[in-house]
Amino acid sequence: MQQEVARLAGSPEVRAAFDRFRSQESQYALWQMEATRVAAPPFGESARGAWLADRFRDLGLTDVRVDEVGNVFGVRPGYGSRFVALSAHIDTVFPAATPLNIRQQGSRLYGPGVADNGAGIAAMLAVASVLGSARISHALPFVFIGNVGEEGEGDLRGMRHVFATPRWQDAIAYSVIVDGAGADSVVAEALGSRRFEAMVRGPGGHSWSDFGAPNPIIALSRAIEVFSQTPVPASPKTTFNVGVIRGGTSVNSIPESASMRVDLRSTSMAEIDRLERALRIALDQAVASENRAAAQHGTRRPQVVQSEVVEIGNRPAGELAPDARLLKVIRAVDAQLGNTAQVQRASTDANIPLSLGREAIAIGAGGSGGGAHTLQEWFDCNGRELGLRRILLTMLTLSGVGE
């Protein structure tokens, strides 16, 4: 494997591509800023998808299309029947009304979504560009995918759709997923997660005249207090988070409803199951306690609160086998480039193919970044070239290139 990677890296075509990565940096930064200036909130990625489809056509990719959920595809033909996929999610965590003040200062780009995942989109376009200009032939064809629904409540819906459609579910041999900045990691282990919305509903009322009626916010608060005491192991690492709380209409109204959104994560699905049970028990106990308090208050008519738990996200776990070809390739590529990278576990688009037993990794686009999921997000273009070389060399090794 190491010899094959070295042979590819030393070929005139690949050396020319590497040179283009250096000379075309200004174009990559421009693509990155253009992409992130087009809003792509959860379930609202169509405008950015249309922009990406136009860029795919500009770069000479064939069979450019947008599927039913908004994923964007472009193909670079090869000589085999199965594909090597290079993908980057095009959605962001930011709502539609978020000001997209994308700007450049020196080597740094600033603005919401500029690194996550403007960097991934730019990397995908950069690789497609040099493949055409350097005239590199390859055996397995490449499919470039700008997928929707990676962030938050998108629940990986774009990648789920890719691997559920007859056109692609068995046709993709390897998936290389580009997400964010950096070149120091290889996500080959999918972190499982489950997300819930817990709701408490009651009769509501006036804070004075209906005092004593059961209060959904108080019940929810008690549930949070109990659930937050749930022990979690250090190994397998397991976490929980209450990330959103909603409820009430005014300070002098007993609310009719209250809700919270809870994120559970673990390297063990058994631990996630245990946390889910603890959440449901805490909620049941809190509702029962609030109803007992209301009954003891002696209101004129029986009044109770009720609870409901709805699953709003479920990301499956999985991992790449230690002897998988894709893992051997990325390690050989890193050795060739003198790059040090650690295998990590995370929740990415790779969760879907990994959970299905397919070969997939998620890696960064090079450069560096910070402030992800905030309005102060940034990306530094210095070091992007290493990330792009890494992606290209991995793709070509997976596909196979003749002498």
Side-chain angles (χ1 to χ4, degrees):
M1 186 69 69
Q2 199 66 59
Q3 291 176 341
E4 174 65 8
V5 170
R7 183 183 72 81
L8 286 173
S11 69
E13 295 83 2
V14 174
R15 288 202 306 268
F18 284 178
D19 290 341
R20 283 179 171 83
F21 283 147
R22 185 182 308 110
S23 63
Q24 297 298 312
E25 168 55 40
S26 60
Q27 176 61 69
Y28 307 151
L30 180 61
W31 277 331
Q32 192 167 345
M33 290 189 290
E34 283 183 0
T36 48
R37 285 181 181 132
V38 181
F43 300 94
E45 307 97 336
S46 59
R48 187 176 290 186
W51 177 90
L52 182 61
D54 287 341
R55 301 293 80 72
F56 279 176
R57 295 185 186 98
D58 293 343
L59 294 174
L61 297 183
T62 64
D63 198 21
V64 176
R65 62 180 64 191
V66 180
D67 71 11
E68 299 89 339
V69 301
N71 296 318
V72 185
F73 298 83
V75 172
R76 180 172 171 81
Y79 306 102
S81 59
R82 301 189 74 198
F83 289 80
V84 178
L86 181 65
S87 68
H89 73 85
I90 64 174
D91 59 315
T92 72
V93 298
F94 303 98
T98 303
L100 299 177
N101 179 25
I102 312 300
R103 61 203 184 278
Q104 181 169 12
Q105 296 177 5
S107 65
R108 285 201 172 193
L109 312 179
Y110 294 89
V114 73
D116 181 17
N117 194 27
I121 295 170
M124 189 166 56
L125 293 174
V127 171
S129 174
V130 300
L131 283 169
S133 59
R135 300 180 181 277
I136 300 175
S137 63
H138 44 89
L140 293 184
F142 295 154
V143 56
F144 294 82
I145 307 172
N147 64 276
V148 300
E150 191 274 341
E151 298 285 10
E153 293 172 30
D155 201 31
L156 309 182
R157 64 189 178 93
M159 198 59 77
R160 287 181 198 273
H161 190 74
V162 170
F163 282 92
T165 55
R167 173 70 178 89
W168 297 111
Q169 61 184 358
D170 295 320
I172 295 176
Y174 306 100
S175 295
V176 178
I177 292 152
V178 188
D179 195 346
D184 60 350
S185 67
V186 179
V187 176
E189 301 172 355
L191 174 62
S193 69
R194 202 172 293 159
R195 293 167 178 171
F196 299 93
E197 181 165 28
M199 295 161 282
V200 181
R201 299 182 179 92
H206 192 279
S207 63
W208 173 262
S209 59
D210 295 307
F211 180 72
N215 189 316
I217 287 181
I218 292 177
L220 193 68
S221 300
R222 285 176 174 155
I224 293 172
E225 170 63 19
V226 172
F227 177 65
S228 67
Q229 304 304 313
T230 305
V232 293
S235 179
K237 184 176 179 180
T238 302
T239 66
F240 58 80
N241 182 60
V242 179
V244 178
I245 296 179
R246 296 189 179 99
T249 56
S250 69
V251 69
N252 61 333
S253 300
I254 299 171
E256 294 181 82
S257 66
S259 67
M260 64 175 171
R261 293 193 169 185
V262 184
D263 176 84
L264 313 178
R265 299 189 182 214
S266 180
T267 58
S268 164
M269 296 309 293
E271 284 298 318
I272 293 179
D273 291 340
R274 183 181 66 84
L275 283 179
E276 180 186 346
R277 289 193 297 271
L279 173 64
R280 292 178 182 273
I281 291 172
L283 195 62
D284 288 344
Q285 291 176 346
V287 165
S289 176
E290 184 64 8
N291 286 334
R292 284 195 300 271
Q296 292 170 1
H297 192 271
T299 54
R300 290 186 299 273
R301 63 186 187 279
Q303 294 179 314
V304 296
V305 289
Q306 297 177 323
S307 66
E308 180 184 10
V309 178
V310 177
E311 184 178 273
I312 59 173
N314 191 341
R315 299 188 175 204
E319 61 184 54
L320 196 57
D323 61 347
R325 181 166 182 258
L326 179 49
L327 198 53
K328 292 178 180 178
V329 167
I330 189 66
R331 284 172 169 159
V333 167
D334 281 333
Q336 175 66 32
L337 298 176
N339 183 52
T340 301
Q342 301 297 321
V343 174
Q344 295 183 352
R345 185 183 294 268
S347 180
T348 69
D349 277 319
N351 282 49
I352 299 303
L354 286 174
S355 71
L356 296 172
R358 312 297 174 80
E359 294 203 21
I361 57 172
I363 58 178
S368 58
H373 295 191
T374 74
L375 298 180
Q376 291 74 45
E377 191 168 347
W378 59 271
F379 176 83
D380 195 319
C381 301
N382 288 318
R384 190 203 300 269
E385 183 184 343
L386 171 61
L388 298 181
R389 289 184 175 193
R390 190 179 185 221
I391 296 166
L392 178 65
L393 207 47
T394 299
M395 298 282 289
L396 292 175
T397 306
L398 290 169
S399 170
V401 177
E403 295 287 350

